[in-house]
Amino acid sequence: MKAQAPASSRISAGAMWLASVMDPPSIILTAWADNPDHLAEVPLGVRFDVLRAIDSLGMRALDELANTPVSLGPVLYCQPRQTVEFLVPAGTAEEWEDLRGTVCVGRGGALLCPAPGATGRGRTWLYPPHGDGVLTDPGLLRDHLRRAYERRTP
């Protein structure tokens, strides 16, 4: 019988990056080590905000962004809300212009998410965090979301 690796060795750099905004990070890291599908409430406005777009707009924008040379940050699909959730730099929510089909949530909000690479209660990472701190550029995202909205089927 093969010995199981200690829980700490199974934690990804992306999970550590997400958990680093929590006090203490060990609580969520331990929960994810025991059950990657566990949903953590990661506070927003510390390192990142979350831009939520209805799934039809968000998926169109994501498809376009994925075909550009820009780096995408973490992206979470939330089936219960039917949204695509892009992690964007902290402070974006304060400057986000009203764009139909989107909302940007920052300080005071939380991202409910499973461990990177896992799925929990209808929430799955389309682009999990890798721990490098890369976030999606909000201006570029806004442009792609606006175009997706303009091209939507009535």
Side-chain angles (χ1 to χ4, degrees):
M1 185 156 140
K2 201 175 201 179
Q4 190 173 13
S8 61
S9 70
R10 294 190 310 257
I11 300 298
S12 71
M16 293 183 68
W17 178 79
L18 280 172
S20 69
V21 300
M22 303 185 72
D23 186 25
S26 60
I27 292 172
I28 194 58
L29 292 174
T30 301
W32 278 338
D34 293 342
N35 177 9
D37 298 341
H38 171 79
L39 297 182
E41 286 189 42
V42 179
L44 297 171
V46 178
R47 178 166 289 133
F48 54 84
D49 292 349
V50 67
L51 185 285
R52 292 184 177 122
I54 58 173
D55 58 3
S56 59
L57 293 180
M59 292 305 279
R60 276 192 202 124
L62 182 60
D63 285 345
E64 288 182 14
L65 283 166
N67 290 313
T68 66
V70 301
S71 295
L72 275 172
V75 180
L76 186 70
Y77 179 70
C78 179
Q79 191 279 327
R81 285 189 175 138
Q82 295 185 328
T83 57
V84 178
E85 302 183 349
F86 298 84
L87 273 58
V88 294
T92 300
E94 297 167 13
E95 300 172 4
W96 189 254
E97 68 182 63
D98 187 29
L99 183 59
R100 186 168 284 188
T102 70
V103 64
C104 195
V105 182
R107 190 166 296 282
L111 177 69
L112 192 60
C113 62
T119 297
R121 289 190 273 163
R123 298 169 196 276
T124 189
W125 289 102
L126 301 174
Y127 288 81
H130 297 288
D132 54 9
V134 170
L135 298 168
T136 300
D137 177 276
L140 189 61
L141 178 56
R142 181 178 20 255
D143 292 344
H144 283 277
L145 287 166
R146 187 177 286 123
R147 281 196 295 273
Y149 182 78
E150 290 167 357
R151 286 192 307 254
R152 78 191 184 294
T153 322

